[in-house]
Amino acid sequence: MPDTASVKTGALKRLIGPVIGPVIDPVAFDFWAAKVNPLLSWERPLARVVARQVAARDSVTLVLKPNRHVPPVQAGQHVPVTVEVDGVRLTRSYSPSSVGGKRGKGCLAITVKRIPGGRVSSHLCQNVRVGDVLELGEAFGEMTLRPEVPRWLYIAAGSGITPLMSLLRAQAAGQSRADVTLLYWARTRADLCFLDELRHLDSHQPGVRVHIILTREAALLPGEHSGRPDAALLTQLVPDLAERRVYACGTGGFVDSLRTLLADQVAGFDAEAFTLPERAAVAGAPVQVTLRRSGRVLDIPAGEALLPALEARGIHPKHGCRMGICNSCACDRISGTSENLNTGATQTEPGVVRICISAARSDMTLDL
Amino acid sequence: MTALPPSISSRAARKSLSRERLSREQVEQFGAELDALRERTLADIGEQDARYIKRIYAAVRYTGALGRGLLFFGIFPPAWLLGTLLLGISKILENMELGHNVMHGQYDWMNDPRFDGKTYEWDIVGTGDNWRKTHNYSHHTYTNIKGMDDDVGYGVLRLFPEQRWRPFFLGQPLYAVIFALFFQWGVAIQDIRLGRYFAGRMTGAELREEFRPTGRKMRRQLLKDYVFFPLLAGPFFLPVLLGNLVANGLRNLWTFMIIFCGHFTANVEVFPKSIIKNETRGQWYLRQLRGSSNLTGSKLLHIMSGNLSHQIEHHLFPDIPARRYAEMSKEVRAICRRYGIFYNTGSLVSQFSQVIWRILRYSLPSKPVKLDGKMLMAD
């Protein structure tokens, strides 16, 4: 829900947009608009932090008020959040849940767990304050509400709880009698997010059962369990396993082991795993380079300069000096690790890459 | 490497040193030292550079708004004068310290679409795309190579004895003044290369097709400065129009002067095409150095010239944020001194006088100088 100031400019823009749109400079517009209200923008989806609270050890929940350019988000989806850290804009995805209540109407809440060495999560947990403005992107993700499914098993590990929490909240708010069992894995009790809210759902929301499983806690309290996911634990906690459809979210290893255990035992299995940076491929090993615009996928040896490698495969991207100075061949690296062949430095963060002096060091997607 | 003679600072010593050529090996060592300087500087690029370019952006916006605002009261001469001056400053800052540097990709590491080198569009009649081609690629890769770098005389001026004299050049003092006044238009059509059309190597249809994006940009710029803002002023249409015209003109003269001081001072050299055959990184660095010249002056001069007052450092490191050049120039100078390479710098007055001398001198016939076989190294 946009605030009043953006409603006004929204109407103004609809009125004058078609006339001055073609001659407006959106960057200059935003420069002046931000002096009035930091959420005002010609076209950028922005959100202001309106509340901040600690959710668990190393975890912070930020409540965000979006402007009118933020596209709608469904429960369970992820949203790219862009912040500036040390002068560099960095993007990571988080699963927001909508916030209820009068004051929070239209707001989104993201819960961020700080990862040691993680630049964005550290920034969001430690530096971001109420009043700061973040840029959001378009929501993505397939694990959304499906009212036709009668029985659910949600399985979360660590911060994998966030999209599932968003679904649980949406189901609770919708008063639907969804039958959901949640298994929530964490290392210790202090790492659990949303504990009070989950306890409340477990005792007050018909159909919702919550089980907490801790892997590194010395002494367990009543109602807590321990151990890694295995068949015995799962059948003990979820006797009607076969009738439930599974949504799981956690690290790649966690999700893989669940899939092996459960895929044939349940009524359906969907999972999302956190993506970890890929390890750099050794020189010469084939990596897959995807060209987003042309849709072509090519096998190129890791460590080989991209421009000549593409040319050898009949693709002729724009280029100039072929020695890394003129920037003509600069293109966006959407994903993957590249190596600067002049310096040997590798870069994993999405950004601009000069393909004449860069090689792929992992599977990669280029904006070509 | 030979030790530095104590008399290196004297003019005569510089002259003899600049003629004494380095060995192939020395050139590579020289290049390795510059590479190290490059890596050292890149490692430190970050938040303060981001803050700087955002401040420059803000300065462009504020001076521009203030200038245009004052021009609305342009019926009062002091307001007109100050408004015109501020708008001129805004355009100079935008073209030089912001646009030119951003389009080199100096701020690409910020991942900020506002400062993205491959999409930035600047406040001049030429398109960013054409500039990226003629300047970033042709000029910076083939710096001062006759026949490859269009900036050597821009096809209308004879600035080096190595260029063949034709009677046409007798008029070049006049052409230079016109070129300076209309510099942005020269930049705009540089890539169209009308010569190809007049030589019959391009059809009218091809020319029109190639001209289309530039035509669109020209129309947009003209509408903005000579229709939209003057109309906004209502009865004060004329002072606003004149103010914008003069501001654009001031920007043209200033950029012409700075750019000509960067490559056409007395001690700058031109090179034959053969020089890029198997050119190494060290040789490329050396050619950039010998084809460029700096300006000494205040911090204000450096900012207002987009740090092209450090043309040498800009040509050695075109993709490093230009605000770093002042710092780097100390080390580049020290490296040059150690290798006995002439470092071409001087005040704006001295350097621009040399440019004017070149324009006047080479409008007249001179003993032809052969470029063939010119090499950077002794062996």
Side-chain angles (χ1 to χ4, degrees):
Chain A
M1 175 79 174
D3 58 25
T4 41
S6 23
V7 169
K8 274 182 220 139
T9 46
L12 186 70
K13 193 181 152 184
R14 262 192 299 282
L15 203 67
I16 60 170
V19 185
I20 64 162
V23 290
I24 204 90
D25 171 1
V27 179
F29 179 92
D30 286 5
F31 175 82
W32 295 114
K35 310 276 172 214
V36 182
N37 176 343
L39 276 189
L40 284 186
S41 172
W42 185 256
E43 56 193 5
R44 288 158 70 209
L46 304 173
R48 185 171 51 209
V49 178
V50 292
R52 173 187 186 273
Q53 66 223 27
V54 173
R57 174 165 65 197
D58 290 337
S59 298
V60 165
T61 295
L62 301 172
V63 181
L64 308 175
K65 189 179 193 66
N67 73 2
R68 55 189 293 274
H69 303 299
V70 175
V73 185
Q74 293 181 54
Q77 285 191 308
H78 312 280
V79 170
V81 177
T82 301
V83 291
E84 193 179 302
V85 185
D86 298 336
V88 183
R89 279 164 53 98
L90 300 168
T91 304
R92 300 286 183 276
S93 294
Y94 294 97
S95 328
S97 37
S98 48
V99 178
K102 226 176 182 177
R103 272 182 55 229
K105 202 158 183 240
C107 287
L108 300 168
I110 56 168
T111 298
V112 182
K113 184 177 168 62
R114 190 173 68 82
I115 298 162
R119 286 192 288 170
V120 176
S121 62
S122 300
H123 179 79
L124 287 171
C125 284
Q126 294 170 338
N127 303 337
V128 166
R129 292 288 174 268
V130 169
D132 288 357
V133 171
L134 315 175
E135 186 153 349
L136 304 184
E138 199 151 329
F140 64 95
E142 306 296 323
M143 293 197 340
T144 51
L145 287 177
R146 292 165 68 176
E148 76 281 7
V149 176
R151 287 174 170 204
W152 283 105
L153 173 58
Y154 292 170
I155 309 178
S159 53
I161 187 68
T162 53
L164 301 175
M165 194 65 214
S166 168
L167 289 167
L168 273 173
R169 281 175 179 155
Q171 282 165 328
Q175 303 298 321
S176 72
R177 295 272 160 162
D179 184 341
V180 184
T181 296
L182 168 70
L183 306 183
Y184 180 11
W185 260 270
R187 287 146 69 97
T188 71
R189 207 168 293 124
D191 294 305
L192 291 165
C193 290
F194 317 117
L195 193 54
D196 281 346
E197 199 179 344
L198 288 171
R199 286 216 179 100
H200 184 266
L201 284 172
D202 182 65
S203 50
H204 290 79
Q205 186 74 15
V208 175
R209 308 281 314 143
V210 177
H211 298 291
I212 303 293
I213 306 112
L214 303 172
T215 53
R216 301 251 178 106
E217 193 65 74
L220 296 174
L221 296 178
E224 290 172 350
H225 307 270
S226 70
R228 310 224 158 248
D230 62 33
L233 185 63
L234 287 168
T235 42
Q236 180 207 332
L237 297 176
V238 196
D240 54 352
L241 203 56
E243 293 158 39
R244 291 182 182 268
R245 209 182 153 88
V246 175
Y247 271 172
C249 191
T251 61
F254 178 81
V255 163
D256 285 344
S257 66
L258 279 181
R259 187 178 279 116
T260 319
L261 272 170
L262 286 178
D264 307 330
Q265 314 286 321
V266 292
F269 186 92
D270 290 289
E272 269 168 7
F274 316 136
T275 44
L276 295 171
E278 289 172 84
R279 257 183 309 158
V282 291
V287 289
Q288 225 170 48
V289 175
T290 306
L291 307 181
R292 193 191 60 90
R293 290 192 210 181
S294 62
R296 292 190 60 174
V297 181
L298 309 147
D299 280 328
I300 285 176
E304 197 177 306
L306 284 162
L307 177 63
L310 291 175
E311 286 173 336
R313 286 155 183 83
I315 295 157
H316 299 280
K318 198 169 66 163
H319 67 273
C321 67
R322 308 185 79 97
M323 57 185 287
I325 59 137
C326 79
N327 218 36
S328 302
C329 65
C331 80
D332 287 325
R333 177 170 38 69
I334 297 159
S335 69
T337 301
S338 65
E339 177 190 356
N340 181 319
L341 294 170
N342 282 354
T343 64
T346 55
Q347 174 65 271
T348 305
E349 211 61 64
V352 178
V353 63
R354 292 175 201 164
I355 56 175
C356 67
I357 52 154
S358 298
R361 277 292 179 173
S362 76
D363 289 350
M364 174 178 288
T365 303
L366 294 172
D367 190 24
L368 279 177
Chain B
M1 209 190 73
T2 48
L4 182 72
S7 62
I8 186 71
S9 56
S10 85
R11 190 164 288 246
R14 273 191 202 168
K15 251 193 172 150
S16 73
L17 264 173
S18 66
R19 247 182 265 126
E20 193 181 288
R21 285 184 298 180
L22 301 177
S23 72
R24 211 167 269 274
E25 198 191 340
Q26 282 174 318
V27 173
E28 287 327 295
Q29 288 166 354
F30 165 76
E33 293 209 37
L34 290 177
D35 269 339
L37 171 59
R38 177 190 167 80
E39 292 314 312
R40 270 204 303 282
T41 309
L42 276 177
D44 189 46
I45 301 289
E47 194 171 9
Q48 32 177 337
D49 302 270
R51 200 178 316 131
Y52 177 81
I53 201 65
K54 285 184 205 163
R55 277 200 195 143
I56 291 293
Y57 182 82
V60 168
R61 290 271 83 88
Y62 281 121
T63 48
L66 209 59
R68 291 197 189 275
L70 279 168
L71 277 175
F72 287 153
F73 305 96
I75 201 82
F76 307 108
W80 186 88
L81 218 65
L82 192 60
T84 302
L85 201 65
L86 278 170
L87 184 57
I89 288 173
S90 176
K91 281 174 180 277
I92 287 170
L93 269 179
E94 195 280 338
N95 285 183
M96 305 194 86
E97 186 68 331
L98 183 64
H100 166 260
N101 290 334
V102 163
M103 283 193 285
H104 268 292
Q106 291 179 1
Y107 295 92
D108 279 5
W109 51 271
M110 287 172 68
N111 273 336
D112 191 326
R114 289 176 296 176
F115 306 114
D116 180 359
K118 58 193 185 314
T119 54
Y120 189 89
E121 193 57 69
W122 54 349
D123 183 12
I124 118 169
V125 289
T127 66
D129 281 337
N130 277 347
W131 177 260
R132 279 179 270 267
K133 199 164 127 206
T134 57
H135 178 82
N136 290 6
Y137 168 52
S138 305
H139 171 59
H140 272 273
T141 311
Y142 304 117
T143 310
N144 282 26
I145 294 177
K146 196 179 145 241
M148 297 182 87
D149 177 3
D150 281 336
D151 286 16
V152 179
Y154 295 87
V156 283
L157 301 176
R158 177 174 182 256
L159 298 164
F160 296 93
E162 289 87 345
Q163 290 171 285
R164 197 161 54 89
W165 185 84
R166 281 177 285 132
F168 168 82
F169 291 121
L170 282 172
Q172 84 174 12
L174 180 66
Y175 315 151
V177 171
I178 296 171
F179 190 50
L181 284 170
F182 294 91
F183 195 54
Q184 65 160 342
W185 297 91
V187 165
I189 61 167
Q190 194 182 0
D191 191 42
I192 315 277
R193 280 173 294 178
L194 289 166
R196 279 181 304 171
Y197 171 69
F198 292 121
R201 277 182 287 145
M202 186 196 237
T203 67
E206 280 168 344
L207 179 69
R208 268 193 298 281
E209 185 59 35
E210 199 159 317
F211 183 72
R212 190 166 302 157
T214 307
R216 242 196 324 263
K217 181 77 194 286
M218 286 174 172
R219 199 163 56 234
R220 193 189 151 124
Q221 290 294 107
L222 290 174
L223 277 174
K224 184 175 79 176
D225 279 342
Y226 303 120
V227 179
F228 180 75
F229 281 108
L231 277 180
L232 219 55
F236 307 121
F237 183 91
L238 210 59
V240 170
L241 184 137
L242 280 177
N244 290 353
L245 183 71
V246 173
N248 276 316
L250 286 176
R251 182 270 324 273
N252 287 347
L253 292 172
W254 177 256
T255 46
F256 170 91
M257 183 166 70
I258 295 297
I259 290 170
F260 271 55
C261 283
H263 294 292
F264 309 131
T265 56
N267 288 310
V268 157
E269 298 172 54
V270 282
F271 307 96
K273 284 183 187 173
S274 59
I275 208 148
I276 51 163
K277 202 171 162 212
N278 302 321
E279 190 178 52
T280 63
R281 195 158 174 86
Q283 292 162 15
W284 182 82
Y285 273 133
L286 187 55
R287 175 162 59 82
Q288 298 301 327
L289 189 108
R290 285 169 51 169
S292 311
S293 51
N294 279 9
L295 296 171
T296 54
S298 64
K299 192 159 183 191
L300 184 68
L301 173 85
H302 297 319
I303 294 176
M304 290 306 288
S305 69
N307 273 297
L308 289 184
S309 48
H310 298 110
Q311 188 76 241
I312 291 175
E313 287 70 27
H314 175 56
H315 265 266
L316 298 174
F317 315 108
D319 56 345
I320 288 183
R323 65 180 286 270
R324 297 279 179 163
Y325 294 158
E327 220 176 287
M328 297 177 92
S329 71
K330 292 179 201 149
E331 293 197 51
V332 173
R333 237 184 139 142
I335 293 170
C336 285
R337 207 177 297 137
R338 273 191 276 117
Y339 286 85
I341 300 168
F342 177 56
Y343 185 89
N344 188 340
T345 186
S347 69
L348 183 58
V349 173
S350 144
Q351 299 287 61
F352 196 57
S353 306
Q354 296 172 21
V355 171
I356 294 173
W357 176 80
R358 269 195 190 273
I359 292 171
L360 297 173
R361 170 64 190 90
Y362 295 112
S363 65
L364 304 171
S366 61
K367 204 171 80 186
V369 176
K370 277 234 156 108
L371 261 184
D372 297 348
K374 177 170 176 173
M375 276 175 47
L376 288 166
M377 297 83 57
D379 49 340

